[in-house]
Protein backbone atom coordinates (compact mmCIF):
# COMPACT_ATOMS: atom_id res chain seq x y z
CA UNK A 1 0.00 0.00 0.00
CA UNK A 2 1.16 3.57 -0.58
CA UNK A 3 1.79 5.61 2.51
CA UNK A 4 0.92 9.09 3.64
CA UNK A 5 2.32 10.96 6.61
CA UNK A 6 0.21 12.30 9.44
CA UNK A 7 1.03 15.46 11.39
CA UNK A 8 3.17 15.47 14.51
CA UNK A 9 3.21 17.98 17.34
CA UNK A 10 6.95 17.78 17.95
CA UNK A 11 9.37 20.27 16.48
CA UNK A 12 10.08 19.66 12.79
CA UNK A 13 13.82 19.13 13.18
CA UNK A 14 13.65 16.65 16.05
CA UNK A 15 10.34 14.86 15.58
CA UNK A 16 10.46 11.18 14.72
CA UNK A 17 9.05 10.23 11.39
CA UNK A 18 5.31 10.65 11.34
CA UNK A 19 3.27 7.46 11.58
CA UNK A 20 1.82 6.08 8.39
CA UNK A 21 -1.77 5.49 7.37
CA UNK A 22 -2.92 3.15 4.65
CA UNK A 23 -4.05 4.73 1.40
CA UNK A 24 -6.83 3.11 -0.61
CA UNK A 25 -5.40 4.38 -3.91
CA UNK A 26 -4.60 1.67 -6.45
CA UNK A 27 -1.12 0.93 -7.81
CA UNK A 28 -2.14 1.04 -11.47
CA UNK A 29 0.72 2.96 -13.09
CA UNK A 30 3.64 1.19 -14.73
CA UNK A 31 7.23 2.40 -15.15
CA UNK A 32 6.58 3.31 -18.79
CA UNK A 33 3.71 5.54 -17.66
CA UNK A 34 5.85 7.37 -15.12
CA UNK A 35 8.74 7.84 -17.52
CA UNK A 36 6.48 9.46 -20.10
CA UNK A 37 4.64 11.53 -17.47
CA UNK A 38 8.02 12.89 -16.37
CA UNK A 39 9.03 13.72 -19.94
CA UNK A 40 5.69 14.97 -21.19
CA UNK A 41 4.75 16.94 -18.10
CA UNK A 42 6.86 19.97 -19.03
CA UNK A 43 6.55 19.74 -22.81
CA UNK A 44 3.52 21.98 -23.19
CA UNK A 45 2.17 24.75 -25.37
CA UNK A 46 4.42 27.17 -23.46
CA UNK A 47 7.42 25.57 -25.16
CA UNK A 48 5.89 25.22 -28.62
CA UNK A 49 4.37 28.71 -28.79
CA UNK A 50 5.13 30.82 -25.72
CA UNK A 51 8.90 30.53 -26.07
CA UNK A 52 8.69 32.91 -29.03
CA UNK A 53 8.25 35.88 -26.68
CA UNK A 54 11.36 34.83 -24.77
CA UNK A 55 13.38 34.66 -28.00
CA UNK A 56 12.12 38.12 -29.03
CA UNK A 57 13.30 39.55 -25.70
CA UNK A 58 16.58 37.70 -25.15
CA UNK A 59 17.70 36.96 -28.71
CA UNK A 60 20.16 34.06 -29.04
CA UNK A 61 20.88 34.32 -25.30
CA UNK A 62 17.54 32.55 -24.78
CA UNK A 63 19.69 29.41 -24.98
CA UNK A 64 21.60 30.60 -21.90
CA UNK A 65 18.33 31.53 -20.16
CA UNK A 66 16.90 28.04 -20.69
CA UNK A 67 20.18 26.44 -19.61
CA UNK A 68 20.25 28.43 -16.35
CA UNK A 69 16.60 27.78 -15.51
CA UNK A 70 16.99 24.16 -16.59
CA UNK A 71 19.88 23.73 -14.15
CA UNK A 72 17.69 25.13 -11.36
CA UNK A 73 14.87 22.75 -12.26
CA UNK A 74 17.29 19.83 -12.22
CA UNK A 75 18.32 20.74 -8.67
CA UNK A 76 14.69 21.05 -7.55
CA UNK A 77 13.74 17.73 -9.11
CA UNK A 78 16.74 16.02 -7.57
CA UNK A 79 15.67 17.29 -4.15
CA UNK A 80 12.09 16.23 -4.74
CA UNK A 81 13.22 12.88 -6.10
CA UNK A 82 15.30 12.27 -2.96
CA UNK A 83 12.34 12.91 -0.65
CA UNK A 84 9.77 11.11 -2.80
CA UNK A 85 11.92 7.99 -3.20
CA UNK A 86 12.45 7.91 0.58
CA UNK A 87 8.75 8.46 1.36
CA UNK A 88 6.42 8.08 -1.66
CA UNK A 89 3.09 9.83 -1.10
CA UNK A 90 0.28 11.08 -3.32
CA UNK A 91 0.74 14.51 -1.73
CA UNK A 92 4.41 14.62 -2.74
CA UNK A 93 6.05 17.90 -1.69
CA UNK A 94 3.02 18.86 0.44
CA UNK A 95 3.58 15.79 2.60
CA UNK A 96 7.32 16.48 2.74
CA UNK A 97 6.73 20.11 3.76
CA UNK A 98 4.35 18.96 6.50
CA UNK A 99 6.85 16.46 7.87
CA UNK A 100 9.75 18.91 7.71
CA UNK A 101 8.26 22.28 8.61
CA UNK A 102 4.77 21.70 9.96
CA UNK A 103 1.14 21.18 8.90
CA UNK A 104 0.78 24.86 7.91
CA UNK A 105 3.53 24.44 5.32
CA UNK A 106 1.95 21.32 3.83
CA UNK A 107 -1.40 23.13 3.71
CA UNK A 108 0.08 26.18 1.97
CA UNK A 109 2.16 24.29 -0.59
CA UNK A 110 -0.57 21.74 -1.32
CA UNK A 111 -3.56 24.02 -1.75
CA UNK A 112 -1.46 26.60 -3.59
CA UNK A 113 -0.41 23.92 -6.08
CA UNK A 114 -4.01 22.68 -6.38
CA UNK A 115 -5.14 26.22 -7.22
CA UNK A 116 -2.34 26.52 -9.79
CA UNK A 117 -3.29 23.26 -11.51
CA UNK A 118 -7.02 24.01 -11.60
CA UNK A 119 -6.55 27.44 -13.17
CA UNK A 120 -4.07 25.90 -15.61
CA UNK A 121 -6.70 23.30 -16.60
CA UNK A 122 -9.00 26.15 -17.58
CA UNK A 123 -6.29 27.94 -19.54
CA UNK A 124 -5.35 24.79 -21.42
CA UNK A 125 -8.99 24.10 -22.23
CA UNK A 126 -9.37 27.61 -23.67
CA UNK A 127 -6.20 27.21 -25.75
CA UNK A 128 -7.29 23.84 -27.12
CA UNK A 129 -10.74 25.20 -27.93
CA UNK A 130 -9.27 28.10 -29.93
CA UNK A 131 -7.41 25.61 -32.13
CA UNK A 132 -10.62 23.62 -32.71
CA UNK A 133 -12.57 26.79 -33.55
CA UNK A 134 -9.87 27.58 -36.11
CA UNK A 135 -10.63 24.26 -37.79
CA UNK A 136 -14.40 24.49 -37.26
CA UNK A 137 -15.20 28.23 -37.41
CA UNK A 138 -18.94 27.93 -36.76
CA UNK A 139 -18.55 25.96 -33.52
CA UNK A 140 -18.77 27.70 -30.10
CA UNK A 141 -15.52 27.82 -28.12
CA UNK A 142 -17.17 26.98 -24.80
CA UNK A 143 -18.59 23.75 -26.23
CA UNK A 144 -15.12 22.46 -27.06
CA UNK A 145 -13.90 23.34 -23.56
CA UNK A 146 -16.86 21.48 -22.07
CA UNK A 147 -16.17 18.46 -24.29
CA UNK A 148 -12.50 18.29 -23.30
CA UNK A 149 -13.40 18.69 -19.64
CA UNK A 150 -15.91 15.84 -19.84
CA UNK A 151 -13.46 13.54 -21.62
CA UNK A 152 -10.59 14.02 -19.19
CA UNK A 153 -12.74 14.24 -16.12
CA UNK A 154 -14.29 10.95 -17.22
CA UNK A 155 -10.88 9.39 -17.84
CA UNK A 156 -9.71 10.41 -14.38
CA UNK A 157 -12.90 9.13 -12.74
CA UNK A 158 -12.08 5.60 -13.89
CA UNK A 159 -9.03 3.51 -13.02
CA UNK A 160 -5.72 5.36 -12.72
CA UNK A 161 -4.29 3.21 -15.50
CA UNK A 162 -6.59 5.07 -17.93
CA UNK A 163 -4.94 8.35 -16.97
CA UNK A 164 -1.58 6.65 -17.39
CA UNK A 165 -2.43 5.37 -20.87
CA UNK A 166 -3.76 8.74 -22.04
CA UNK A 167 -0.66 10.49 -20.77
CA UNK A 168 1.71 7.84 -22.11
CA UNK A 169 0.52 8.27 -25.70
CA UNK A 170 0.13 12.04 -25.46
CA UNK A 171 3.66 12.36 -24.08
CA UNK A 172 5.03 9.91 -26.65
CA UNK A 173 3.64 12.07 -29.47
CA UNK A 174 5.08 15.25 -27.94
CA UNK A 175 8.47 13.69 -27.35
CA UNK A 176 8.45 12.27 -30.88
CA UNK A 177 7.63 15.71 -32.32
CA UNK A 178 10.47 17.37 -30.40
CA UNK A 179 12.93 14.62 -31.37
CA UNK A 180 11.92 14.94 -35.05
CA UNK A 181 12.27 18.73 -34.90
CA UNK A 182 15.76 18.40 -33.38
CA UNK A 183 16.77 15.90 -36.06
CA UNK A 184 15.52 18.12 -38.90
CA UNK A 185 17.15 21.15 -37.29
CA UNK A 186 20.56 19.52 -36.92
CA UNK A 187 20.51 18.40 -40.56
CA UNK A 188 19.56 21.93 -41.65
CA UNK A 189 22.32 23.48 -39.51
CA UNK A 190 24.81 21.16 -41.17
CA UNK A 191 23.36 22.05 -44.60
CA UNK A 192 22.46 18.46 -45.46
CA UNK A 193 18.67 18.48 -45.03
CA UNK A 194 17.21 16.57 -48.01
CA UNK A 195 14.95 18.63 -50.26
CA UNK A 196 15.81 21.96 -48.62
CA UNK A 197 17.41 24.94 -50.36
CA UNK A 198 18.52 26.48 -47.04
CA UNK A 199 22.29 26.59 -46.72
CA UNK A 200 24.18 25.99 -43.47
CA UNK A 201 23.81 29.21 -41.42
CA UNK A 202 26.99 28.82 -39.40
CA UNK A 203 27.04 31.28 -36.50
CA UNK A 204 25.58 34.21 -38.43
CA UNK A 205 22.27 34.25 -36.54
CA UNK A 206 23.94 33.61 -33.18
CA UNK A 207 26.42 36.46 -33.31
CA UNK A 208 24.94 38.80 -35.93
CA UNK A 209 21.88 41.08 -35.67
CA UNK A 210 23.02 42.70 -32.42
CA UNK A 211 25.16 39.86 -31.13
CA UNK A 212 24.46 36.96 -28.79
CA UNK A 213 22.77 39.24 -26.23
CA UNK A 214 21.19 41.96 -28.41
CA UNK A 215 19.02 43.47 -25.66
CA UNK A 216 21.66 43.20 -22.96
CA UNK A 217 21.04 41.78 -19.51
CA UNK A 218 17.48 43.17 -19.44
CA UNK A 219 16.53 40.96 -22.37
CA UNK A 220 18.27 37.97 -20.80
CA UNK A 221 16.33 38.53 -17.56
CA UNK A 222 12.98 38.60 -19.39
CA UNK A 223 13.95 35.41 -21.22
CA UNK A 224 15.06 33.83 -17.93
CA UNK A 225 11.73 34.59 -16.24
CA UNK A 226 9.81 33.18 -19.20
CA UNK A 227 11.91 30.02 -19.25
CA UNK A 228 11.64 29.34 -15.50
CA UNK A 229 7.86 29.08 -15.60
CA UNK A 230 7.92 27.01 -18.79
CA UNK A 231 9.49 24.14 -16.83
CA UNK A 232 6.58 23.82 -14.38
CA UNK A 233 4.87 20.42 -14.51
CA UNK A 234 7.61 17.97 -13.59
CA UNK A 235 6.26 17.74 -10.04
CA UNK A 236 3.33 15.60 -11.20
CA UNK A 237 5.56 12.57 -11.67
CA UNK A 238 6.30 12.37 -7.94
CA UNK A 239 2.56 12.58 -7.22
CA UNK A 240 1.88 9.77 -9.67
CA UNK A 241 4.70 7.63 -8.28
CA UNK A 242 2.61 6.82 -5.19
CA UNK A 243 0.19 4.91 -7.45
CA UNK A 244 2.85 2.99 -9.35
CA UNK A 245 3.68 -0.68 -8.98
CA UNK A 246 6.98 0.05 -7.24
CA UNK A 247 6.95 3.65 -5.96
CA UNK A 248 10.55 3.88 -4.73
CA UNK A 249 12.27 2.50 -7.82
CA UNK A 250 9.78 4.17 -10.16
CA UNK A 251 10.28 7.72 -8.92
CA UNK A 252 14.04 7.27 -8.70
CA UNK A 253 14.30 6.08 -12.31
CA UNK A 254 11.81 8.65 -13.65
CA UNK A 255 13.63 11.58 -12.05
CA UNK A 256 17.07 10.38 -13.15
CA UNK A 257 16.14 9.83 -16.78
CA UNK A 258 13.86 12.83 -17.21
CA UNK A 259 16.26 15.58 -16.17
CA UNK A 260 18.87 15.32 -18.91
CA UNK A 261 16.28 14.58 -21.60
CA UNK A 262 14.29 17.67 -20.72
CA UNK A 263 17.43 19.79 -20.80
CA UNK A 264 18.14 18.38 -24.25
CA UNK A 265 14.63 19.10 -25.51
CA UNK A 266 14.41 22.64 -24.16
CA UNK A 267 17.94 23.93 -24.58
CA UNK A 268 18.50 21.93 -27.77
CA UNK A 269 15.36 23.13 -29.51
CA UNK A 270 16.02 26.77 -28.57
CA UNK A 271 19.55 26.44 -29.96
CA UNK A 272 18.18 25.02 -33.23
CA UNK A 273 15.68 27.88 -33.60
CA UNK A 274 18.09 30.78 -32.98
CA UNK A 275 20.77 29.15 -35.13
CA UNK A 276 18.48 28.76 -38.14
CA UNK A 277 16.46 31.99 -37.81
CA UNK A 278 17.36 35.60 -36.96
CA UNK A 279 16.03 36.22 -33.45
CA UNK A 280 14.13 39.32 -34.61
CA UNK A 281 12.18 37.43 -37.28
CA UNK A 282 8.57 38.56 -36.77
CA UNK A 283 7.21 35.08 -37.44
CA UNK A 284 8.96 33.67 -34.36
CA UNK A 285 6.38 35.42 -32.20
CA UNK A 286 3.48 35.49 -34.67
CA UNK A 287 3.56 31.78 -35.54
CA UNK A 288 5.67 30.37 -32.76
CA UNK A 289 9.36 29.39 -33.06
CA UNK A 290 8.74 25.83 -34.23
CA UNK A 291 6.30 26.73 -37.01
CA UNK A 292 8.49 29.65 -38.10
CA UNK A 293 11.55 27.37 -38.29
CA UNK A 294 9.76 24.64 -40.23
CA UNK A 295 8.30 27.21 -42.63
CA UNK A 296 11.77 28.66 -43.14
CA UNK A 297 13.03 25.19 -44.04
CA UNK A 298 10.18 24.69 -46.51
CA UNK A 299 8.53 21.84 -44.61
CA UNK A 300 5.04 21.53 -46.19
CA UNK A 301 2.05 21.94 -43.88
CA UNK A 302 4.23 23.03 -40.95
CA UNK A 303 1.54 25.27 -39.48
CA UNK A 304 -1.14 22.60 -39.36
CA UNK A 305 1.31 19.95 -38.16
CA UNK A 306 2.32 22.14 -35.22
CA UNK A 307 -1.31 23.01 -34.49
CA UNK A 308 -1.95 19.31 -34.01
CA UNK A 309 1.10 18.99 -31.76
CA UNK A 310 0.12 22.04 -29.70
CA UNK A 311 -3.41 20.65 -29.36
CA UNK A 312 -1.97 17.36 -28.10
CA UNK A 313 0.27 19.26 -25.68
CA UNK A 314 -2.70 21.21 -24.30
CA UNK A 315 -4.89 18.13 -23.93
CA UNK A 316 -2.05 16.24 -22.29
CA UNK A 317 -1.56 19.07 -19.79
CA UNK A 318 -5.30 19.14 -19.04
CA UNK A 319 -5.27 15.41 -18.35
CA UNK A 320 -2.17 15.58 -16.15
CA UNK A 321 -3.33 18.65 -14.23
CA UNK A 322 -6.77 17.20 -13.42
CA UNK A 323 -4.99 14.11 -12.14
CA UNK A 324 -2.41 16.08 -10.14
CA UNK A 325 -5.02 18.42 -8.63
CA UNK A 326 -7.28 15.55 -7.57
CA UNK A 327 -4.46 13.59 -5.95
CA UNK A 328 -3.05 16.62 -4.18
CA UNK A 329 -6.47 17.56 -2.76
CA UNK A 330 -7.09 13.92 -1.79
CA UNK A 331 -3.80 13.77 0.10
CA UNK A 332 -4.53 17.05 1.91
CA UNK A 333 -8.00 15.87 2.93
CA UNK A 334 -6.62 12.50 4.08
CA UNK A 335 -4.32 14.45 6.41
CA UNK A 336 -7.17 16.51 7.80
CA UNK A 337 -6.38 19.58 5.70
CA UNK A 338 -9.66 19.88 3.80
CA UNK A 339 -13.35 18.92 3.60
CA UNK A 340 -13.66 15.22 4.43
CA UNK A 341 -16.48 14.59 1.97
CA UNK A 342 -14.09 15.07 -0.97
CA UNK A 343 -11.73 12.42 0.39
CA UNK A 344 -13.98 9.46 -0.34
CA UNK A 345 -12.38 6.85 -2.60
CA UNK A 346 -14.38 4.69 -5.00
CA UNK A 347 -12.70 1.74 -6.75
CA UNK A 348 -9.28 3.16 -5.91
CA UNK A 349 -10.07 6.64 -7.31
CA UNK A 350 -10.86 9.83 -5.31
CA UNK A 351 -13.79 10.63 -7.60
CA UNK A 352 -15.22 13.57 -5.68
CA UNK A 353 -11.78 15.19 -5.64
CA UNK A 354 -11.56 14.66 -9.43
CA UNK A 355 -14.99 16.24 -9.90
CA UNK A 356 -14.22 19.19 -7.62
CA UNK A 357 -10.93 19.92 -9.42
CA UNK A 358 -12.59 19.66 -12.86
CA UNK A 359 -15.50 21.89 -11.85
CA UNK A 360 -13.17 24.54 -10.44
CA UNK A 361 -11.20 24.46 -13.69
CA UNK A 362 -14.38 24.93 -15.71
CA UNK A 363 -15.46 27.82 -13.47
CA UNK A 364 -12.16 29.50 -14.34
CA UNK A 365 -13.07 29.10 -18.02
CA UNK A 366 -16.48 30.68 -17.45
CA UNK A 367 -14.82 33.58 -15.62
CA UNK A 368 -12.71 34.20 -18.71
CA UNK A 369 -15.99 34.91 -20.54
CA UNK A 370 -17.93 36.59 -17.74
CA UNK A 371 -15.17 38.68 -16.11
CA UNK A 372 -12.32 38.92 -18.63
CA UNK A 373 -11.11 42.32 -17.45
CA UNK A 374 -10.87 41.92 -13.67
CA UNK A 375 -11.47 38.53 -12.01
CA UNK A 376 -9.86 36.31 -14.64
CA UNK A 377 -6.62 38.37 -14.93
CA UNK A 378 -6.37 38.30 -11.14
CA UNK A 379 -6.64 34.51 -11.18
CA UNK A 380 -3.85 34.35 -13.78
CA UNK A 381 -1.65 36.65 -11.71
CA UNK A 382 -2.23 34.57 -8.58
CA UNK A 383 -0.73 31.49 -10.24
CA UNK A 384 2.07 33.49 -11.90
CA UNK A 385 4.79 32.74 -9.35
CA UNK A 386 3.16 29.86 -7.44
CA UNK A 387 5.53 27.29 -8.90
CA UNK A 388 8.43 29.20 -7.33
CA UNK A 389 6.67 29.14 -3.97
CA UNK A 390 6.33 25.36 -4.31
CA UNK A 391 10.01 25.02 -5.23
CA UNK A 392 11.05 27.00 -2.14
CA UNK A 393 9.02 24.66 0.07
CA UNK A 394 10.70 21.70 -1.67
CA UNK A 395 14.20 23.04 -1.04
CA UNK A 396 13.49 24.02 2.58
CA UNK A 397 11.94 20.59 3.26
CA UNK A 398 14.89 18.76 1.73
CA UNK A 399 17.36 20.64 3.93
CA UNK A 400 15.54 19.41 7.02
CA UNK A 401 14.48 15.91 5.97
CA UNK A 402 17.89 14.94 4.58
CA UNK A 403 19.46 15.38 8.03
CA UNK A 404 16.63 13.48 9.69
CA UNK A 405 16.72 10.60 7.20
CA UNK A 406 20.51 10.25 7.43
CA UNK A 407 20.17 10.03 11.20
CA UNK A 408 17.18 7.69 11.43
CA UNK A 409 16.76 5.71 8.18
CA UNK A 410 19.81 6.16 5.91
CA UNK A 411 18.82 3.10 3.87
CA UNK A 412 15.93 5.13 2.39
CA UNK A 413 18.28 7.51 0.57
CA UNK A 414 18.20 5.68 -2.75
CA UNK A 415 18.34 9.06 -4.55
CA UNK A 416 20.63 11.71 -3.10
CA UNK A 417 20.81 15.43 -3.74
CA UNK A 418 24.16 16.39 -5.25
CA UNK A 419 26.65 18.23 -3.01
CA UNK A 420 24.20 18.52 -0.13
CA UNK A 421 23.65 21.03 1.44
CA UNK A 422 25.65 23.40 -0.77
CA UNK A 423 23.58 23.01 -3.95
CA UNK A 424 20.32 23.18 -2.01
CA UNK A 425 21.37 26.60 -0.68
CA UNK A 426 22.45 27.61 -4.19
CA UNK A 427 18.97 26.70 -5.49
CA UNK A 428 17.28 28.68 -2.71
CA UNK A 429 19.47 31.71 -3.46
CA UNK A 430 18.62 31.42 -7.17
CA UNK A 431 14.89 31.35 -6.40
CA UNK A 432 15.22 34.39 -4.14
CA UNK A 433 17.04 36.21 -6.95
CA UNK A 434 14.29 35.32 -9.42
CA UNK A 435 11.76 36.83 -7.03
CA UNK A 436 13.89 39.97 -6.96
CA UNK A 437 14.01 40.05 -10.77
CA UNK A 438 10.23 39.81 -10.85
CA UNK A 439 9.98 43.06 -8.89
CA UNK A 440 11.89 44.81 -11.69
CA UNK A 441 9.29 44.11 -14.42
CA UNK A 442 5.77 45.66 -14.29
CA UNK A 443 3.94 42.51 -15.46
CA UNK A 444 5.81 40.10 -13.21
CA UNK A 445 5.53 42.55 -10.31
CA UNK A 446 1.74 42.19 -10.51
CA UNK A 447 2.10 38.40 -10.55
CA UNK A 448 4.38 38.50 -7.54
CA UNK A 449 1.92 40.65 -5.58
CA UNK A 450 -1.06 38.42 -6.41
CA UNK A 451 0.82 35.17 -5.75
CA UNK A 452 2.21 36.61 -2.51
CA UNK A 453 -1.32 37.52 -1.38
CA UNK A 454 -2.62 34.02 -2.10
CA UNK A 455 0.36 32.40 -0.37
CA UNK A 456 -0.03 34.61 2.71
CA UNK A 457 -3.75 33.87 2.97
CA UNK A 458 -3.13 30.12 2.71
CA UNK A 459 -0.28 30.29 5.24
CA UNK A 460 -2.44 32.17 7.77
CA UNK A 461 -5.31 29.70 7.34
CA UNK A 462 -2.91 26.78 7.65
CA UNK A 463 -1.24 28.23 10.74
CA UNK A 464 -4.57 28.90 12.47
CA UNK A 465 -5.72 25.36 11.66
CA UNK A 466 -2.48 23.94 13.04
CA UNK A 467 -2.69 25.88 16.29
CA UNK A 468 -6.36 24.97 16.71
CA UNK A 469 -5.55 21.27 16.24
CA UNK A 470 -2.69 21.51 18.74
CA UNK A 471 -4.96 23.13 21.36
CA UNK A 472 -7.62 20.46 20.86
CA UNK A 473 -5.00 17.74 21.19
CA UNK A 474 -3.66 19.33 24.38
CA UNK A 475 -7.17 19.57 25.89
CA UNK A 476 -7.93 15.95 24.96
CA UNK A 477 -4.69 14.82 26.61
CA UNK A 478 -5.51 16.49 29.92
Amino acid sequence: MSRTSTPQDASPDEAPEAPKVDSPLVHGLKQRHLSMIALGGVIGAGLFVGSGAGIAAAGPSIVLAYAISGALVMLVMRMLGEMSAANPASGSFSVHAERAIGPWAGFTAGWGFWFLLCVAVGLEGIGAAKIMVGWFPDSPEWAWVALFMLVFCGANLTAVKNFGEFEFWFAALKVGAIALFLGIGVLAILGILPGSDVSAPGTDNLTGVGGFMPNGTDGLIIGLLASVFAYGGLETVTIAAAESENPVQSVAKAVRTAMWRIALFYVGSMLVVVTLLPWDNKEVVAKGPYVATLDHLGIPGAGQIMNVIVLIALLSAMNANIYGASRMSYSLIARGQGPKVLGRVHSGVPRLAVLASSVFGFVCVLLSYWRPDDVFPWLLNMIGAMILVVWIFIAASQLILRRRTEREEPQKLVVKMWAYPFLTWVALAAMAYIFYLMTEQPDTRKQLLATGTLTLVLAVIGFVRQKTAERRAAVAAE
Side-chain angles (χ1 to χ4, degrees):
M1 301 291 285
S2 62
R3 304 289 185 176
T4 306
S5 300
T6 57
Q8 291 278 320
D9 293 330
S11 64
D13 197 41
E14 297 181 359
E17 184 179 333
K20 312 292 184 180
V21 295
D22 287 333
S23 169
L25 299 180
V26 174
H27 293 176
L29 295 177
K30 301 181 183 298
Q31 181 60 52
R32 66 182 178 89
H33 294 143
L34 280 188
S35 296
M36 277 301 178
I37 290 169
L39 286 174
V42 295
I43 303 175
L47 174 63
F48 289 115
V49 179
S51 53
I55 293 172
S61 67
I62 192 67
V63 177
L64 180 59
Y66 270 94
I68 293 171
S69 55
L72 174 60
V73 172
M74 283 188 181
L75 296 181
V76 172
M77 282 308 299
R78 188 73 181 187
M79 289 183 267
L80 184 54
E82 176 186 291
M83 294 184 292
S84 296
N87 289 283
S90 59
S92 185
F93 51 82
S94 173
V95 171
H96 308 322
E98 181 169 322
R99 294 178 63 242
I101 305 169
W104 74 267
F107 182 94
T108 305
W111 284 116
F113 191 68
W114 177 86
F115 187 85
L116 165 67
L117 293 184
C118 289
V119 175
V121 166
L123 286 175
E124 288 140 4
I126 293 170
K130 288 185 184 298
I131 294 175
M132 297 304 296
V133 170
W135 292 337
F136 304 96
D138 295 329
S139 58
E141 188 175 296
W142 67 267
W144 288 110
V145 178
L147 175 63
F148 296 144
M149 284 286 187
L150 285 173
V151 169
F152 294 116
C153 180
N156 278 277
L157 286 173
T158 57
V160 69
K161 66 179 181 180
N162 292 335
F163 156 75
E165 284 299 320
F166 263 115
E167 198 56 26
F168 175 83
W169 292 108
F170 277 149
L173 288 169
K174 290 189 291 185
V175 170
I178 290 284
L180 181 60
F181 177 83
L182 289 173
I184 291 172
V186 169
L187 292 176
I189 290 171
L190 297 175
I192 56 174
L193 180 64
S196 175
D197 297 329
V198 177
S199 57
T203 60
D204 291 348
N205 293 324
L206 293 174
T207 58
V209 198
F212 183 72
M213 201 179 296
N215 293 321
T217 55
D218 288 344
L220 176 62
I221 287 170
I222 295 173
L224 178 63
L225 292 175
S227 63
V228 164
F229 301 113
Y231 280 108
L234 257 176
E235 304 80 11
T236 303
V237 70
T238 58
I239 295 174
E243 293 182 79
S244 64
E245 295 173 333
N246 195 327
V248 175
Q249 280 74 17
S250 294
V251 72
K253 184 175 181 180
V255 169
R256 285 175 180 143
T257 57
M259 290 187 297
W260 68 266
R261 292 178 184 175
I262 288 166
L264 172 64
F265 291 153
Y266 270 79
V267 180
S269 58
M270 289 300 102
L271 181 59
V272 165
V273 171
V274 296
T275 301
L276 289 173
L277 286 178
W279 66 272
D280 58 351
N281 187 312
K282 302 298 183 183
E283 292 189 345
V284 170
V285 176
K287 294 183 176 180
Y290 291 80
V291 173
T293 302
L294 293 175
D295 280 344
H296 173 70
L297 297 177
I299 305 296
Q304 289 305 317
I305 292 171
M306 287 311 302
N307 269 339
V308 173
I309 299 300
V310 171
L311 177 64
I312 290 170
L314 288 164
L315 297 180
S316 169
M318 283 185 72
N319 186 42
N321 288 343
I322 290 174
Y323 171 83
S326 66
R327 283 352 184 239
M328 180 58 72
S329 59
Y330 164 77
S331 174
L332 286 160
I333 293 162
R335 290 177 278 136
Q337 301 275 31
K340 292 182 180 179
V341 66
L342 297 181
R344 295 176 184 173
V345 175
H346 304 271
S347 302
V349 177
R351 291 179 179 171
L352 292 178
V354 171
L355 284 171
S357 301
S358 301
V359 168
F360 188 85
F362 193 64
V363 168
C364 293
V365 173
L366 295 178
L367 287 172
S368 73
Y369 300 122
W370 295 339
R371 304 294 294 272
D373 299 323
D374 47 18
V375 178
F376 189 64
W378 184 250
L379 285 175
L380 298 186
N381 283 332
M382 278 196 287
I383 67 171
M386 184 53 69
I387 197 64
L388 273 178
V389 173
V390 168
W391 289 355
I392 286 176
F393 274 114
I394 289 172
S397 301
Q398 192 267 340
L399 277 174
I400 297 169
L401 292 179
R402 173 65 175 268
R403 290 197 301 268
R404 189 186 304 170
T405 307
E406 285 180 331
R407 183 173 65 244
E408 298 174 2
E409 298 176 291
Q411 73 280 3
K412 285 189 172 184
L413 291 172
V414 295
V415 176
K416 290 186 178 182
M417 175 60 182
W418 307 298
Y420 170 83
F422 174 72
L423 285 182
T424 302
W425 283 111
V426 168
L428 278 168
M431 292 177 224
Y433 185 61
I434 291 171
F435 274 131
Y436 166 73
L437 293 177
M438 291 185 72
T439 65
E440 299 292 299
Q441 305 293 331
D443 290 341
T444 53
R445 193 182 303 130
K446 292 178 183 177
Q447 293 178 4
L448 191 58
L449 175 62
T451 301
T453 301
L454 175 61
T455 303
L456 180 61
V457 169
L458 289 174
V460 169
I461 294 173
F463 188 75
V464 170
R465 288 176 59 90
Q466 177 180 328
K467 290 302 178 183
T468 301
E470 289 173 356
R471 283 195 296 271
R472 288 175 179 171
V475 170
E478 291 178 356

